[in-house]
Amino acid sequence: MSETKIRVLVVDDDQDQLVLAERSLSSYGFEVKTHRSSLGVSNLVRSVAPDLVLLDVNIPALSGDKVLSLARAQAPLGTKFILYSASDESKLRSLALSSGADGYISKRVQGADLAKKLTDLYKRGRSSTSPTSNTSNQAINK
């Protein structure tokens, strides 16, 4: 296949969740990097240059929505930030909208469904000329 792998950075304080996400997404052809702390994400985003950043909302030290604003300033143009949480979906949606995230995904979404949602977000970002929109927030967690 001549397609470039989609680079995903997964940030979560739960080691089991990181392992699960890495194994699952790697099996669907993603290039996955993981990070277990909110500290250092900005530098990592700059050096790894991921296409997508999947950020857990409930991380000690700095929550995912706070990390998002710091990391976005260091990220390459076009990097998409997705909030990822087991929180109530309406709270997650609201937080994604208020923080400027490119979308949100519930942690209940795994395997093929997670891979499809991330691929759709990646492709939508590549074909769209406008920056983030509310429809991208709503579309990826259907």
Side-chain angles (χ1 to χ4, degrees):
M1 220 193 301
S2 63
E3 266 187 59
T4 305
K5 287 185 174 188
I6 299 171
R7 294 179 314 272
V8 180
L9 173 61
V10 182
V11 181
D12 198 315
D13 62 315
D14 181 340
Q15 184 63 36
D16 292 335
Q17 188 67 38
L18 288 175
V19 169
L20 179 63
E22 183 174 21
R23 284 183 184 163
S24 180
L25 292 173
S26 293
S27 73
Y28 287 98
F30 289 82
E31 181 181 317
V32 182
K33 300 282 186 205
T34 62
H35 190 68
R36 196 171 173 192
S37 170
S38 57
L39 304 175
V41 173
S42 293
N43 290 332
L44 196 55
V45 165
R46 186 176 50 237
S47 64
V48 171
D51 299 304
L52 304 170
V53 179
L54 203 54
L55 281 170
D56 180 23
V57 171
N58 300 312
I59 299 179
L62 277 177
S63 62
D65 59 315
K66 303 289 189 263
V67 172
L68 185 151
S69 62
L70 297 170
R72 189 179 293 281
Q74 300 299 319
L77 190 62
T79 300
K80 302 291 182 192
F81 288 84
I82 301 104
L83 296 184
Y84 191 52
S85 178
S87 298
D88 175 69
E89 188 175 324
S90 63
K91 289 180 185 176
L92 185 57
R93 180 185 311 112
S94 177
L95 186 59
L97 289 170
S98 67
S99 67
D102 297 291
Y104 65 94
I105 298 177
S106 169
K107 284 188 178 180
R108 291 184 304 272
V109 177
Q110 293 291 328
D113 290 337
L114 178 59
K116 181 177 180 347
K117 288 176 186 299
L118 291 177
T119 299
D120 289 349
L121 181 62
Y122 173 78
K123 287 180 179 176
R124 186 171 38 247
R126 296 296 178 234
S127 63
S128 173
T129 56
S130 68
T132 59
S133 68
N134 290 346
T135 55
S136 67
N137 274 320
Q138 295 166 350
I140 66 170
N141 199 36
K142 180 149 170 70

